[in-house]
């Protein structure tokens, strides 16, 4: 993708912080929690949580408690340190956040709605969030309690080496998917999904979660279709579509189950099969219209 670089006050490089310098999130307001059985089923599917890509705003995230949310990350103690973020990873994260803000801000404005920009936090190892203690092994996740996306940049290397998702589009797809969950938070989809799951059995609740995840994939495609290069032309390169399809296939629930040596059980899917995730991303890419992303069942 041909995206420019720049600075964004909503991007926080916390990769140099450790120990007592770990940030905390303050402020009032509760957060949306998913059912504990869904957390357990999600973890079982991926085998190890590094395989998880998507909505991780779950009750008891990483074994930590649910904290009060709504504020901005603030430094606790004197835990500053030199950034461990590579120049290229920093550029990708900043440009992804700037571009997604531009695209979704314009779409919300056209619909006469107010858009609240999410924060994007890069960290190493562990990080305290409004959804509990985040860990690098979780993979990227969105926390609705503080409306922030969290990522350990080492996940980008996992995409290339473990999943075979090479090329520059895959990391942008990861961030755009998480921004898709932020859009769902603003639209009320996450709240409705949580209420629906509370009255459903495990398999039915998983089906609701699959709809949420596929919609976020589709929203990632909508962003990619509308993203602009610095000269105002489309940011997508000819190879980006295939790179996106490869990444989506690599993180389908069936592919992850097979990689973990498990039997493929569709009733346990929480993110969708490889084919479903590819189709959702393609639908958004081909239309550029968020109204076609009608996957959620709530």
């Amino acid at each position: 993708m041909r995206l420019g670089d720049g600075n964004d006050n909503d991007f926080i490089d916390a990769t140099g912080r450790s120990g007592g310098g770990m940030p905390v999130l303050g402020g009032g307001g509760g957060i949306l929690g998913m059912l504990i059985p869904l957390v357990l089923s999600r973890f079982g599917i991926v085998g190890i949580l590094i395989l998880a890509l998507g909505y991780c705003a779950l009750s008891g995230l990483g074994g930590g408690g649910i904290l009060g949310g709504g504020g901005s990350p603030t430094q606790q103690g004197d835990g500053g340190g030199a950034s461990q973020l590579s120049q290229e990873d920093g550029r990708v994260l900043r440009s992804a956040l700037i571009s997604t803000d531009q695209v979704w801000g314009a779409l919300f404005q056209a619909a006469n709605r107010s858009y609240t920009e999410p924060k994007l936090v890069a960290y190493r190892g562990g990080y305290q969030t409004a959804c509990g203690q985040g860990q690098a092994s979780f993979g990227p996740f969105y926390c609705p309690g503080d409306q922030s996306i969290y990522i350990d940049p080492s996940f980008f290397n996992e995409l290339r080496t473990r999943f075979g998702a090479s090329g520059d589009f895959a990391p942008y797809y990861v961030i755009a998917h998480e921004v898709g969950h932020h859009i769902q938070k603003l639209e009320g989809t996450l709240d409705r999904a949580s209420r629906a799951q509370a009255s459903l059995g495990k398999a039915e609740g998983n089906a609701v979660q699959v709809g949420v995840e596929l919609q976020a994939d589709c929203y990632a495609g909508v962003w990619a279709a509308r993203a602009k290069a610095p000269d105002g032309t489309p940011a997508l390169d000819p190879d980006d579509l295939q790179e996106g399809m490869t990444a989506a296939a690599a993180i389908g629930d069936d592919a992850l189950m097979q990689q973990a040596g498990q039997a493929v059980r569709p009733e346990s899917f929480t993110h969708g099969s490889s084919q479903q995730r590819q189709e959702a991303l393609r639908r958004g890419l081909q239309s550029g219209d968020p109204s076609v992303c009608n996957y959620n069942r709530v």
Side-chain angles (χ1 to χ4, degrees):
M1 294 197 75
R2 299 179 301 112
L3 296 178
D5 197 359
N7 294 316
D8 191 311
N9 291 334
D10 290 322
F11 173 67
I12 300 167
D13 178 4
T15 58
R17 301 175 184 176
S18 62
M22 187 173 292
V24 296
L25 289 137
I31 72 163
L32 176 67
M34 288 296 176
L35 298 176
I36 292 298
L38 287 179
V39 180
L40 297 177
S41 66
R42 175 192 177 94
F43 294 174
I45 285 176
V46 298
I48 56 174
L49 296 179
I50 189 65
L51 304 180
L53 173 67
Y55 182 72
C56 288
L58 306 170
S59 295
L61 181 64
I66 300 300
L67 307 181
S72 300
T74 56
Q75 183 73 17
Q76 182 184 49
D78 59 352
S83 172
Q84 300 178 37
L85 190 65
S86 73
Q87 183 175 0
E88 176 60 16
D89 286 347
R91 185 194 67 79
V92 168
L93 292 170
R94 289 190 302 271
S95 61
L97 185 61
I98 291 170
S99 180
T100 51
D101 281 347
Q102 290 172 344
V103 168
W104 287 108
L107 285 168
F108 270 58
Q109 183 178 33
N112 294 316
R113 298 178 59 190
S114 176
Y115 180 66
T116 302
E117 298 178 352
K119 295 187 181 300
L120 175 58
V121 181
Y123 69 96
R124 290 287 185 185
Y127 199 90
Q128 191 67 34
T129 82
C131 297
Q133 178 70 21
Q135 299 289 339
S137 58
F138 292 176
F141 64 94
Y142 172 70
C143 174
D146 50 45
Q147 297 190 21
S148 298
I149 297 161
Y150 295 90
I151 183 169
D152 185 319
S154 63
F155 184 77
F156 291 155
N157 187 56
E158 288 284 327
L159 281 174
R160 292 185 291 267
T161 61
R162 185 164 196 160
F163 300 125
S166 59
D168 63 354
F169 184 75
Y172 287 117
Y173 164 48
V174 169
I175 301 303
H177 174 98
E178 300 307 330
V179 172
H181 287 312
H182 179 63
I183 302 305
Q184 292 170 324
K185 168 64 176 176
L186 299 180
E187 293 176 335
T189 300
L190 298 187
D191 292 310
R192 292 193 298 273
S194 181
R195 289 194 297 268
Q197 287 173 316
S199 61
L200 295 172
K202 184 175 180 179
E204 293 81 6
N206 285 347
V208 170
Q209 186 68 22
V210 167
V212 169
E213 298 298 336
L214 293 179
Q215 185 179 58
D217 282 336
C218 186
Y219 281 168
V222 169
W223 160 76
R226 291 175 170 268
K228 300 297 184 183
D231 61 3
T233 59
L236 278 175
D237 288 324
D239 294 336
D240 287 336
L241 176 58
Q242 184 55 50
E243 292 171 6
M245 293 301 106
T246 299
I251 55 177
D253 283 331
D254 51 345
L256 299 180
M257 285 178 170
Q258 291 170 343
Q259 187 180 78
Q262 301 175 3
V264 175
R265 296 182 294 115
E267 71 277 6
S268 297
F269 288 179
T270 59
H271 285 66
S273 68
S274 295
Q275 182 177 355
Q276 287 176 314
R277 300 200 72 169
Q278 287 179 314
E279 191 278 333
L281 178 61
R282 184 183 293 110
R283 182 184 293 192
L285 275 166
Q286 291 178 343
S287 69
D289 180 3
S291 69
V292 307
C293 302
N294 54 347
Y295 287 94
N296 69 78
R297 305 187 182 192
V298 293

